[in-house]
Amino acid sequence: MTMHDVGLPARDDLSPSRAEVYARVHAFDRPTLVLDVDRVEHNFDALQAGLGDAHIHYAVKANPAREIIERLVQVGSHFDAASRGEIELCLSQGARAETISFGNTVKRPSDIAFAYEAGVTLFAADAEEELQKIAENAPGAGVYIRLIVENSQADWPLSRKFGCHGEMALALLDRAKELGLDPAGFSFHVGSQTRRSEMWGPVLDQVLAVWAAAHEAGHKLRLLNIGGGFPAFYGEVIEPATAYAAGVMRQVRARFGDVLVMAEPGRGMVADAGVIAAEVLLVSRKSANELHRWVYLDIGKFSGLAETMDEAIRYQFATPRDHEAMGPCILAGPSCDSADVLYEKKMVSLPVGLTAGDRVVIRNCGAYTSSYSSVGFNGFPPLDVCVI
Ligand SMILES: *Cc1c(COP(=O)(O)O)cnc(C)c1O
């Protein structure tokens, strides 16, 4: 426990959070994400306590609620934005442009120009074409090169979509210089929901090898962007935020010494600040003697719960009948797409007496839900957001 944890429940404590209490007792006319921005502030403090002098750039895509950005500006967070829209959002809530990094490696040239005009000075790249775009639209800007890392032990590993291999990264540092840019360092992402801090070790070793090669090649790098990956509680024990962040930083400092470090937590900042209030639409069996039930909720893969894909992220559920007998269920969403099944390979245990109309609260849902909620798929409105 740090002083920041005093008076707040531990992150893996299953007693109801403030947002959960609110979601249990209020009526909503559609699935609603209830967000507690005080919890976001608490998470910022807890992460910062562990990260020490590293700068936190909140990954806006995890949850772009205006009130979250506003609160994070107030407490001194920096931001990682992926588009003009996210940059405008941060600026509109009072973020200073110098505190916003443009971390998407695939940028629209006009968005780069917009960011540069607004005062953003730091951009990500993993390809020569991207460096050319940055040089043309943000002359002289700082850039960091995103590295591909292998063997992520994360529950939600980031694919090979972003980053480049070491040799390419070194060539890109040279190219950035030729183009008049300021190559500041490297970034990587260890994979989202990396549950234990020691899982970072092998990934940091890979990054260190490229970092050392860059120094040998004469590049005086000053910035290491360690990305996100800070976990949330989804049923498996995780370290408290401060201990986790401190564990990561110990490993970073042991390898990279006194460099400037920035971190981009998304999930770890907002997941446990939100719960979803949902409702059971139908409980059924496919035949009379089948042991398990099908439970259909009014929220599914296409209206906020995209991270149930491959059952990678396992949300926790609370119902008013949790003191009754429990049994296994296949849990599905409401849309007419047969892929809209949330958990089937590993069933969910829910009260045997659960019936249509019952409230189901989904815990630790503040990250990657409202942002993934597609607009109106199959006629179901997107996830509503209610800040308390
Ligand atoms: C999504 C994203 C993050 C946030 O990752 P989490 O695992 O949610 O912490 C950080 N950095 C970049 C570049 C991202 O795209």
Side-chain angles (χ1 to χ4, degrees):
M1 292 278 267
T2 69
M3 57 180 274
H4 298 283
D5 293 321
V6 172
L8 283 156
R11 291 151 56 86
D12 53 359
D13 185 337
L14 285 187
S15 61
S17 63
R18 203 167 79 92
E20 182 168 337
V21 170
Y22 187 96
R24 282 183 183 185
V25 301
H26 286 77
F28 305 94
D29 61 4
R30 55 171 154 135
T32 297
L33 173 64
V34 179
L35 284 174
D36 177 358
V37 285
D38 290 342
R39 185 73 204 188
V40 176
E41 176 172 343
H42 163 79
N43 290 341
F44 176 85
D45 289 345
L47 286 165
Q48 190 71 75
L51 288 168
D53 52 9
H55 284 294
I56 292 180
H57 287 239
Y58 170 59
V60 175
K61 76 172 187 292
N63 192 321
R66 187 188 59 73
E67 296 88 344
I68 288 180
I69 307 299
E70 180 185 37
R71 181 65 67 90
L72 285 173
V73 169
Q74 285 166 7
V75 297
S77 184
H78 296 186
F79 297 91
D80 175 58
S83 61
R84 174 173 179 157
E86 286 187 354
I87 293 171
E88 285 175 329
L89 169 66
C90 295
L91 293 172
S92 76
Q93 297 312 307
R96 285 176 298 115
E98 321 83 79
T99 66
I100 304 171
S101 51
F102 201 161
N104 192 343
T105 54
V106 186
K107 292 179 284 301
R108 196 179 281 283
S110 59
D111 284 10
I112 300 173
F114 167 81
Y116 183 70
E117 292 290 307
V120 173
T121 57
L122 195 55
F123 297 79
D126 64 4
E128 180 167 358
E129 275 192 342
E130 193 69 17
L131 288 176
Q132 282 163 0
K133 280 192 267 172
I134 297 169
E136 277 164 31
N137 294 284
V143 290
Y144 54 84
I145 306 298
R146 176 141 174 197
L147 299 173
I148 280 191
V149 291
E150 315 273 348
N151 303 324
S152 169
Q153 297 177 63
D155 288 350
W156 188 260
L158 285 109
S159 69
R160 296 169 47 77
K161 180 171 172 187
F162 300 110
C164 62
H165 290 290
E167 267 176 39
M168 173 69 84
L170 297 184
L172 291 178
L173 291 176
D174 290 334
R175 188 73 187 117
K177 256 193 196 150
E178 286 166 22
L179 288 165
L181 295 167
D182 169 23
F186 292 128
S187 73
F188 65 95
H189 197 299
V190 70
S192 204
Q193 187 67 7
T194 293
R195 264 179 289 106
R196 295 196 317 278
S197 56
E198 66 263 26
M199 292 172 168
W200 285 63
V203 169
L204 289 169
D205 286 338
Q206 294 167 46
V207 175
L208 179 62
V210 187
W211 182 274
H215 274 261
E216 256 170 53
H219 293 284
K220 301 212 172 359
L221 302 181
R222 61 179 189 278
L223 173 69
L224 181 67
N225 177 351
I226 65 173
F230 302 82
F233 177 70
Y234 298 119
E236 283 190 79
V237 175
I238 55 167
E239 291 167 78
T242 302
Y244 182 100
V248 170
M249 285 310 287
R250 266 195 301 279
Q251 299 175 80
V252 168
R253 293 295 178 210
R255 288 169 177 80
F256 296 88
D258 203 18
V259 297
L260 192 62
V261 177
M262 59 188 263
E264 302 172 328
R267 187 186 305 281
M269 187 79 85
V270 292
D272 70 358
V275 304
I276 287 175
E279 189 182 308
V280 176
L281 293 184
L282 178 71
V283 180
S284 69
R285 281 176 212 276
K286 301 295 176 189
S287 67
N289 51 8
E290 210 160 51
L291 285 176
H292 60 261
R293 298 155 293 159
W294 281 71
V295 172
Y296 299 88
L297 300 179
D298 61 352
I299 181 170
K301 271 203 164 66
F302 304 101
S303 45
L305 302 183
E307 287 204 312
T308 57
M309 217 182 294
D310 299 328
E311 306 193 11
I313 297 294
R314 295 203 68 90
Y315 294 115
Q316 307 285 299
F317 301 91
T319 81
R321 301 180 194 273
D322 285 351
H323 54 282
E324 299 174 13
M326 308 290 273
C329 312
I330 295 172
L331 199 62
S335 69
C336 297
D337 187 311
S338 56
D340 193 6
V341 176
L342 306 175
Y343 300 113
E344 181 172 22
K345 281 183 283 183
K346 194 170 159 211
M347 283 187 242
V348 177
S349 183
L350 286 174
V352 171
L354 203 66
T355 59
D358 282 351
R359 169 67 51 86
V360 172
V361 170
I362 314 174
R363 289 179 165 138
N364 292 352
C365 261
Y368 303 117
T369 48
S370 53
S371 51
Y372 276 179
S373 172
S374 65
V375 177
F377 177 72
N378 225 183
F380 297 98
L383 183 59
D384 207 0
V385 175
C386 150
V387 177
I388 59 173

